[in-house]
C-alpha cells in the first residue's frame, strides 16, 4: 500500500481539494461519506477566466464556512479537456439539505453582496453573469449506487448508504474527492434490460480496481438521479499522476466480472451498455495560480 503523500510532496499542482477548506477536519463531506453529490459544471468566458475562478473560490469559502458539516463544496479544473469548463462537487447528506443553499441565496447578505456587486469594475462592470457563458451551467445528481450493501447502513443519516461501503479498503487506504490528486469521472449508459446486471458489473469492476491498487486509488459507483435514467457514473480517485498510468493499464471488464446467471452469448458484459456512451473526464482540484492551463 502506498503511503499518502503530504501536500508539500505532492507539489502545488497536486494538492488535494481538502486544502481548499479553512477547516478540513473529519466532519467534512466527500465522495466516500456523503449521501449524494450535486455535480455542477459551468464554462468560464476567456476574458474573465481569472475573475471567475476568484469568484468561485470566494463564494465556496463563505458557503463552506457557513454550512459547516451540513454540506461541503469542492472545486475542480478540467485537465486534458476544456480548460475553461469549471466543476463544483457539492456533497450533501440528504436532498432536502439543498434548501440551505436556497435560503442563503435569498437571505444571506454576504452571498447577495458576492453575486450582485460589481466584480468587473475595470472590464465594463458586472458579476458572475458575465464571467460564465450564458446557458453553460448544468447540474447532475450523483447518488452512491444503492442495493450493493445492507439497507440499514447509514440509513438514519444519509439518503442512501455512503460510497465507502462499496469497497473493502480500510480508512487509511481510501482515496476520495477531498484527498485525491486526480478524479476521473467515467460515465456510461446501461441498457434497460440489463440495468441490474450492468450495475453489479460496474461495482465488481470498481472493486477489482480497489483490490489491485489499494492505497493508490479508489473507484466508487454512482447512479444518476433526477436526470437520465440508467446513466451510471464512476468516480475514480487517484493519489497521484503515476496512478493514472496504472488505471490505464488495468484490464477492462472480463467475462469473469459478469454477474452470475449471465452466461448467455447475447448477454456478455459488452452488450449491457449503450454503444458510444462511455466518456471520461479528468479533474484536478482547483487552486489559485496552479498554472496547469493559464498564467
Amino acid at each position: 500500500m502506498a503511503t499518502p503523500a503530504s501536500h508539500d510532496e505532492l507539489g502545488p499542482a497536486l494538492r488535494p481539494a481538502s486544502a481548499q477548506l479553512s477547516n478540513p477536519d473529519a466532519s467534512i463531506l466527500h465522495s466516500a461519506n456523503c449521501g449524494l453529490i450535486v455535480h455542477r459544471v459551468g464554462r468560464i468566458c476567456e476574458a474573465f477566466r481569472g475573475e471567475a475562478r476568484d469568484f468561485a473560490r470566494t463564494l465556496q469559502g463563505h458557503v463552506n464556512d457557513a454550512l459547516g458539516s451540513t454540506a461541503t463544496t469542492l472545486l475542480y479544473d478540467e485537465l486534458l479537456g476544456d480548460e475553461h469548463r469549471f466543476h463544483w462537487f457539492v456533497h450533501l447528506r440528504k436532498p432536502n439539505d439543498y434548501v440551505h443553499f436556497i435560503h442563503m441565496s435569498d437571505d444571506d447578505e454576504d452571498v447577495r453582496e458576492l453575486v450582485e456587486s460589481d466584480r468587473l469594475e475595470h472590464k465594463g462592470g458586472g458579476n458572475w453573469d458575465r464571467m460564465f457563458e450564458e446557458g453553460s451551467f448544468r447540474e447532475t445528481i450523483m447518488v452512491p449506487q444503492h442495493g450493493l450493501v445492507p439497507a440499514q447502513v447509514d440509513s438514519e443519516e444519509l439518503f442512501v448508504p455512503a460510497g465507502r461501503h462499496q469497497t473493502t479498503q480500510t480508512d487509511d487506504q481510501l482515496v476520495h474527492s477531498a484527498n485525491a490528486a486526480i478524479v476521473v469521472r467515467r460515465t456510461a449508459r446501461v441498457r434497460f434490460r440489463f440495468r441490474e446486471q450492468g450495475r453489479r458489473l460496474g461495482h465488481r469492476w470498481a472493486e477489482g480496481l480497489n483490490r489491485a491498487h489499494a492505497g493508490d486509488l479508489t473507484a466508487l459507483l454512482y447512479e444518476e438521479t433526477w436526470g437520465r435514467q440508467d446513466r451510471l457514473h464512476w468516480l475514480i480517485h487517484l493519489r497521484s499522476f503515476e496512478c493514472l498510468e496504472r488505471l490505464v493499464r488495468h484490464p477492462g471488464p472480463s467475462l469473469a466480472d459478469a454477474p452470475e446467471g449471465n452466461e448467455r452469448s447475447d448477454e456478455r458484459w459488452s452488450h449491457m451498455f449503450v454503444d458510444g456512451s462511455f466518456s471520461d473526464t479528468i479533474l484536478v482540484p482547483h487552486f489559485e495560480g496552479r498554472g496547469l492551463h493559464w498564467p
Side-chain angles (χ1 to χ4, degrees):
M1 183 192 75
T3 301
S6 68
H7 295 178
D8 293 337
E9 290 171 329
L10 289 173
L14 289 175
R15 294 164 64 195
S18 61
Q20 299 169 358
L21 307 176
S22 61
N23 185 28
D25 59 23
S27 68
I28 68 171
L29 294 175
H30 49 69
S31 57
N33 69 1
C34 68
L36 69 154
I37 301 171
V38 180
H39 179 199
R40 177 177 297 158
V41 180
R43 196 170 191 282
I44 294 171
C45 295
E46 167 67 26
F48 309 118
R49 61 190 196 180
E51 293 86 352
R53 289 176 169 90
D54 179 69
F55 167 79
R57 290 192 302 271
T58 303
L59 184 60
Q60 175 208 27
H62 176 77
V63 170
N64 281 337
D65 288 345
L67 295 182
S69 61
T70 301
T72 301
T73 299
L74 301 175
L75 308 179
Y76 301 85
D77 288 304
E78 192 164 314
L79 183 67
L80 306 176
D82 186 337
E83 68 176 89
H84 295 317
R85 195 156 50 192
F86 199 71
H87 298 255
W88 293 256
F89 278 6
V90 182
H91 306 82
L92 303 170
R93 300 179 189 278
K94 297 180 179 180
N96 56 334
D97 289 337
Y98 196 80
V99 72
H100 296 287
F101 289 88
I102 297 175
H103 289 165
M104 290 187 73
S105 66
D106 291 339
D107 304 324
D108 189 306
E109 291 299 325
D110 290 330
V111 170
R112 294 179 68 87
E113 172 67 18
L114 282 171
V115 301
E116 295 178 2
S117 64
D118 186 358
R119 301 181 66 88
L120 300 172
E121 181 179 356
H122 302 294
K123 292 188 177 182
N127 202 289
W128 69 270
D129 55 325
R130 288 191 63 207
M131 299 176 192
F132 295 89
E133 289 187 6
E134 186 173 353
S136 68
F137 278 94
R138 58 179 174 82
E139 292 183 340
T140 302
I141 311 301
M142 298 187 295
V143 173
Q145 180 60 59
H146 53 84
L148 302 176
V149 298
Q152 67 269 20
V153 175
D154 298 328
S155 60
E156 295 300 320
E157 298 183 357
L158 301 178
F159 182 47
V160 298
R164 77 100 47 247
H165 298 296
Q166 297 176 17
T167 178
T168 57
Q169 288 185 0
T170 61
D171 287 345
D172 64 325
Q173 293 173 327
L174 200 66
V175 191
H176 47 69
S177 57
N179 67 3
I182 302 172
V183 178
V184 178
R185 192 198 69 166
R186 176 164 294 174
T187 300
R189 285 175 53 209
V190 65
R191 296 185 187 278
F192 182 80
R193 63 181 294 206
F194 298 121
R195 59 199 321 258
E196 181 178 353
Q197 297 98 319
R199 284 166 168 77
R200 293 196 177 279
L201 172 64
H203 172 242
R204 291 189 185 194
W205 176 78
E207 185 57 2
L209 269 176
N210 295 337
R211 288 194 299 268
H213 306 287
D216 290 327
L217 65 83
T218 302
L220 301 175
L221 177 64
Y222 304 78
E223 67 176 357
E224 191 165 322
T225 306
W226 302 292
R228 191 162 190 172
Q229 188 180 49
D230 294 327
R231 183 157 58 182
L232 304 182
H233 303 269
W234 292 262
L235 293 183
I236 308 170
H237 311 84
L238 310 177
R239 188 80 69 182
S240 67
F241 274 113
E242 289 73 19
C243 298
L244 186 59
E245 181 178 1
R246 294 171 198 162
L247 173 62
V248 172
R249 293 181 179 275
H250 188 85
S254 67
L255 289 178
D257 297 313
E260 295 179 4
N262 219 47
E263 295 85 6
R264 284 172 45 188
S265 61
D266 63 337
E267 294 185 1
R268 295 175 58 179
W269 74 266
S270 58
H271 296 161
M272 295 182 190
F273 294 89
V274 176
D275 288 341
S277 67
F278 278 90
S279 66
D280 286 352
T281 304
I282 302 178
L283 306 174
V284 290
H286 168 72
F287 289 97
E288 181 180 10
R290 185 173 48 82
L292 285 178
H293 291 298
W294 53 90

